[in-house]
Amino acid sequence: MEQKTLIKLIVGSEAIFFLALLMAFVYFTYVPTLNPRVATTLDLTTTGLFTVLLLSSSFTFWRAEVSFRRGQTKSLRLWLSATVVLGVVFLIGQGIEYTGLLSKQLTVSKGTFTTSFFTLTGFHGLHVLIGIIILSIVLYLAFLGDLDDPDSALLPSVGIYWHFVDVVWAVVFVVVYVLPHFLTPRAS
């Protein structure tokens, strides 16, 4: 129970940090002109695809938790492996997006939009990377047979973190990628 309380405190503090980053992004993107035209240059379709993959990793992790509670070790390993793969694919997608933006000379120092964009999405990407490392350790323990106690709080605690990372991305995706398309005046 102490493990779950600790991870909830960590997630709570991280949520406040992400909220601050989101508020900074909204301020620098929407407030000056209420015309987030630069944000519409982001690739909504490709990032949307990678978003679906990341959000799918919450489903695969949930299936791993179900397998864990039922004592189905083989199924647990399979679902955890799928979760790790989906997280890695998401990070690859983020790397591809960054490469494309940098090739268009949209760098961190280009302006307030790019600074807040790279800070927010980069900080999230760091959390995904940390989650993948933790999930890989848990997967390794599962292969060693050290994850056989269904009363262990390890997997549920890791699940709180991983689902948090997915929820944060869902909010970031809507605010950064989707909303600008609805708020930008269309040329007639």
Side-chain angles (χ1 to χ4, degrees):
M1 194 60 165
E2 290 178 22
Q3 244 179 350
K4 278 186 166 182
T5 303
L6 178 63
I7 197 69
K8 287 177 183 176
L9 288 173
I10 291 170
V11 165
S13 67
E14 294 298 303
I16 292 169
F17 198 81
F18 272 109
L19 182 62
L21 289 175
L22 272 169
M23 289 171 49
F25 178 84
V26 167
Y27 177 79
F28 290 123
T29 303
Y30 294 94
V31 173
T33 61
L34 201 58
N35 184 8
R37 190 175 306 273
V38 178
T40 60
T41 61
L42 299 173
D43 188 351
L44 177 64
T45 305
T46 304
T47 305
L49 174 66
F50 287 110
T51 297
V52 169
L53 294 175
L54 183 65
L55 297 180
S56 297
S57 73
S58 266
F59 172 77
T60 57
F61 191 87
W62 171 71
R63 292 301 311 162
E65 288 178 303
V66 169
S67 299
F68 174 68
R69 284 192 299 271
R70 292 179 180 166
Q72 300 168 331
T73 309
K74 189 175 179 180
S75 181
L76 166 68
R77 293 178 194 151
L78 177 72
W79 289 114
L80 276 178
S81 298
T83 305
V84 169
V85 168
L86 289 169
V88 169
V89 170
F90 175 80
L91 279 184
I92 290 170
Q94 191 169 17
I96 292 169
E97 179 183 33
Y98 280 10
T99 302
L101 292 173
L102 295 174
S103 71
K104 294 176 186 174
Q105 305 303 318
L106 290 173
T107 60
V108 174
S109 60
K110 186 74 172 181
T112 53
F113 167 76
T114 55
T115 300
S116 60
F117 169 80
F118 281 111
T119 303
L120 177 60
T121 58
F123 192 66
H124 179 268
L126 176 64
H127 279 73
V128 173
L129 178 62
I130 291 169
I132 290 169
I133 292 169
I134 293 170
L135 286 170
S136 297
I137 292 170
V138 171
L139 181 60
Y140 180 69
L141 292 174
F143 273 105
L144 290 178
D146 288 345
L147 206 58
D148 294 339
D149 180 10
D151 294 328
S152 169
L154 177 63
L155 199 62
S157 298
V158 172
I160 291 169
Y161 178 83
W162 190 253
H163 295 307
F164 165 73
V165 168
D166 282 1
V167 168
V168 165
W169 182 254
V171 173
V172 168
F173 179 71
V174 169
V175 172
V176 174
Y177 293 89
V178 177
L179 282 182
H181 290 279
F182 293 103
L183 297 176
T184 302
R186 301 202 185 273
S188 50

